[in-house]
Amino acid sequence: MTRKDLIYPFMLALLLTSALITACKKNQIELLTTDDVNIVGYLEKYPDSFSLFKQILDRTETSAFLNAYGAYTCFAPTNSGVNAWLAKINAANVDAVDIEVLKNMVQFHLLTDTITTAAFKDGKLPVPTMFGQYLVTGVNFDGGASSYMINRQAEITRSNIRVGNGMIHQLNNVLEPSSLTIAKQLEAKPEYSVFVQALKETGFYDVLNTVDADTAKRWMTVIAESNNALADSGFASYAALKARYSTLGDPSNPNDSLHMYVAYHILGGVKFLGDIITSPSHQTFQPQEVISVQLINQNVIVNENEFNGIVEKGIALKRPSSDNAATNGVWHDADAHYSLKYRPPTAVYWEVSAFEEVMKLPAVYGKSSLTWRRETEADKLFKDIDWGWGSNAGTNIFTYSYSTSSSITRYAVHNDCNQLPLGLPARPIWWEMTTPPIVKGKYKIWICYARSKQSSSSNMLCQVSVNGEVMPRTFNFTDLRPKGSDSELEAIGWKQYTESRPYASDSNYAAKLVGTYEFLTTQRQTIRITPLSGTQNNNFLDMIHFIPIDENQILPRFRIDGSKVYN
């Protein structure tokens, strides 16, 4: 007995459970309504459109559970679409089709959840079909009109038909599930022959040609490079690619650079474009190496990063030829060639107040202060800055603080700081920020702040955690920088980070070492500041330095204009 033979006895229970889970969901969309109590009743009401699909449901014994209470979505092909599909598979009628083919077809048109077009984004739907593969949605523009496309195979001709046990979307064609693995799909396309040869030589072809019975291990995502993309970078053949990358002459060796190049183009899990853009980075099959992702002008861009003021341009994933579903995952089409880069650990001198949302405000950035107020705990105001909700709603604010005359920011780098209210439990109970990309390696981490003390008894002791790991040393926003030479200060975990001139060597500008951390992957990291004792609104964070442990920790210092001083 096959898995598909076993699925039907349990399907009703599965659907009933799903109904209970989704029953309390509200769809914020205007829906078409019907008096029919269920999906089958609606299909029966319109035989001119759905008699053939209803016949398929009857023959596969699916009508019975679609008559039951539940919450699911049916993509229902019309008679013309079913007839076109029958002709394509050389079947005279529904009765002539193998029953397993029909069962697969039905499962691929059903979801165990109620999904309206409000959930249709470019990319996969939020739940898989009962067949186990995801459906991909998009918008088709034709003659000035737009319509939803499903899997690039069928157009929705009527949508959001609400019935008693779910939702119906009417299709003009039958949807067909993938029957080939990622490896077989790429091999069938001559325009990817060089990349496919690299897959075979490295052994990844066999990996990508496997459909693991364990769905937790089955799914993979590949970013493929076409022959044109490779040729544009000077690789007109596999021989040229191998000559450039195969450092050991054995691409199957994990230490060979060609093996690393291919591994760097494979991600774990099934990640359509809509999934890829939800995270700033994704782990690849190359150990401890990730790709970074940005959405720039609606384009999905891989590996566009800025290191020490130098922008490394990324490559785009081509939407029209990406999101190709396979039996074991999905593959995308890269617009150009990209390689795994080795970078030595490199110091990052992060000006925390140069964040995206304020830099988009030319009347504010580098000109005046601005405060944002978070009205509810659920509000998300910034892409890379977040904080733990304080019980006093009025203190859940964030200020970009700028002044050339203020005693606080007058000598800060670029005259600006992030002003962070802190204190348990009334004020924000932590602040979390996403760093610029940091090259993997071991670094010392310095918190650079403009000291402020609201009263003689103010105390603002904090701990820092990096990617969830607590650093061993605390720091205090109210502490002055101690006196002493550079070497004396470094020995006790302090330094002067501003320019070494009398007016800027003020001990109010302090850098405190909070610990050493080894970054295992090259990507953007997460850093959090949490108060341990004290409470005050005026905590001014200027910079955070990440400096490789074998490099000079004291120099450079920074002038007010942001330029570096090496003496």
Side-chain angles (χ1 to χ4, degrees), residues 233-310:
S233 291
F235 305 114
S237 65
Y238 172 72
L241 187 69
K242 183 177 181 179
R244 166 64 178 82
Y245 283 115
S246 186
T247 51
L248 302 180
D250 179 11
S252 65
N253 188 324
N255 295 317
D256 187 273
S257 292
L258 182 57
H259 191 281
M260 296 178 184
Y261 156 78
V262 174
Y264 192 58
H265 285 67
I266 306 174
L267 317 177
V270 56
K271 296 177 181 178
F272 290 80
L273 292 181
D275 303 304
I276 286 179
I277 62 175
T278 61
S279 176
S281 64
H282 295 272
Q283 183 67 53
T284 71
F285 272 30
Q286 179 57 30
Q288 299 182 346
E289 296 293 345
V290 300
I291 59 167
S292 65
V293 179
Q294 297 185 62
L295 186 64
I296 303 176
N297 297 325
Q298 299 306 307
N299 295 314
V300 182
I301 307 296
V302 170
N303 284 3
E304 180 154 325
N305 297 308
E306 181 176 335
F307 291 96
N308 289 330
I310 300 174

Side-chain angles (χ1 to χ4, degrees), residues 314-465:
I315 63 98
L317 302 185
K318 298 164 70 174
R319 284 185 181 271
S321 48
S322 293
D323 279 343
N324 301 287
T327 57
N328 58 348
V330 61
W331 62 274
H332 307 289
D333 185 21
D335 191 40
H337 169 67
Y338 69 97
S339 61
L340 171 64
K341 294 182 179 179
Y342 171 75
R343 299 181 179 91
T346 304
V348 174
Y349 303 99
W350 180 25
E351 293 185 55
V352 296
S353 50
F355 56 93
E356 180 178 320
E357 288 79 7
V358 76
M359 294 179 74
K360 288 180 177 179
L361 302 173
V364 175
Y365 182 60
K367 293 182 174 66
S368 65
S369 297
L370 181 64
T371 294
W372 288 263
R373 183 175 299 278
R374 195 164 155 188
E375 299 298 336
T376 70
E377 188 171 1
D379 289 345
K380 178 68 174 174
L381 302 181
F382 307 99
K383 184 178 73 172
D384 296 327
I385 303 171
D386 196 10
W387 66 87
W389 184 256
S391 59
N392 182 348
T395 66
N396 285 282
I397 60 175
F398 170 78
T399 300
Y400 167 76
S401 186
Y402 172 88
S403 176
T404 58
S405 58
S406 162
S407 60
I408 301 298
T409 59
R410 182 179 179 184
Y411 302 129
V413 178
H414 286 124
N415 300 116
D416 56 13
C417 291
N418 286 352
Q419 184 176 341
L420 312 178
L422 280 166
L424 304 171
R427 293 184 171 91
I429 58 175
W430 49 259
W431 285 87
E432 190 169 271
M433 296 161 285
T434 303
T435 73
I438 299 175
V439 178
K440 66 181 179 181
K442 188 173 289 188
Y443 293 75
K444 290 185 177 182
I445 300 173
W446 299 83
I447 302 296
C448 307
Y449 61 92
R451 180 255 193 182
S452 177
K453 197 174 179 70
Q454 289 178 215
S455 69
S456 60
S457 61
S458 290
N459 172 54
M460 201 65 255
L461 183 66
C462 300
Q463 72 178 18
V464 174
S465 57

Side-chain angles (χ1 to χ4, degrees), residues 481 483 496 498-509:
R481 189 184 72 246
K483 302 296 184 181
Q496 174 185 325
T498 50
E499 184 180 10
S500 182
R501 292 170 58 183
Y503 69 82
S505 62
D506 188 331
S507 57
N508 282 300
Y509 296 89

Side-chain angles (χ1 to χ4, degrees), residues 90-310:
N90 297 316
N93 50 50
V94 170
D95 290 333
V97 183
D98 181 89
I99 189 64
E100 291 301 322
V101 173
L102 291 179
K103 287 181 179 180
N104 291 345
M105 181 267 209
V106 169
Q107 291 178 50
F108 198 55
H109 287 73
L110 293 174
L111 280 65
T112 57
D113 200 353
T114 303
I115 305 296
T116 71
T117 52
F120 289 13
K121 312 294 183 185
D122 276 346
K124 77 176 192 302
L125 291 181
V127 295
T129 65
M130 294 172 68
F131 184 76
Q133 293 183 16
Y134 286 91
L135 296 179
V136 182
T137 65
V139 178
N140 181 52
F141 297 94
D142 186 16
S146 63
S147 59
Y148 286 109
M149 295 294 295
I150 306 296
N151 274 29
R152 303 191 185 103
Q153 297 173 344
E155 178 184 347
I156 294 182
T157 52
R158 194 179 183 203
S159 62
N160 301 323
I161 305 169
R162 169 73 77 179
V163 293
N165 60 347
M167 192 70 59
I168 298 174
H169 302 290
Q170 179 178 298
L171 302 180
N172 66 348
N173 282 311
V174 169
L175 303 173
E176 298 183 65
S178 303
S179 59
L180 298 176
T181 62
I182 297 173
K184 289 294 186 184
Q185 285 192 20
L186 288 170
E187 188 177 32
K189 294 180 175 293
E191 61 268 34
Y192 293 92
S193 61
V194 173
F195 189 77
V196 169
Q197 186 63 28
L199 291 176
K200 292 180 176 179
E201 293 283 331
T202 56
F204 284 110
Y205 181 92
D206 292 336
V207 175
L208 297 172
N209 197 36
T210 300
V211 182
D212 200 304
D214 183 352
T215 55
K217 303 176 182 177
R218 174 183 304 171
W219 307 110
M220 293 167 282
T221 300
V222 172
I223 300 176
E225 295 182 4
S226 68
N227 293 352
N228 286 338
L230 287 164
D232 288 344
S233 291
F235 305 114
S237 65
Y238 172 72
L241 187 69
K242 183 177 181 179
R244 166 64 178 82
Y245 283 115
S246 186
T247 51
L248 302 180
D250 179 11
S252 65
N253 188 324
N255 295 317
D256 187 273
S257 292
L258 182 57
H259 191 281
M260 296 178 184
Y261 156 78
V262 174
Y264 192 58
H265 285 67
I266 306 174
L267 317 177
V270 56
K271 296 177 181 178
F272 290 80
L273 292 181
D275 303 304
I276 286 179
I277 62 175
T278 61
S279 176
S281 64
H282 295 272
Q283 183 67 53
T284 71
F285 272 30
Q286 179 57 30
Q288 299 182 346
E289 296 293 345
V290 300
I291 59 167
S292 65
V293 179
Q294 297 185 62
L295 186 64
I296 303 176
N297 297 325
Q298 299 306 307
N299 295 314
V300 182
I301 307 296
V302 170
N303 284 3
E304 180 154 325
N305 297 308
E306 181 176 335
F307 291 96
N308 289 330
I310 300 174

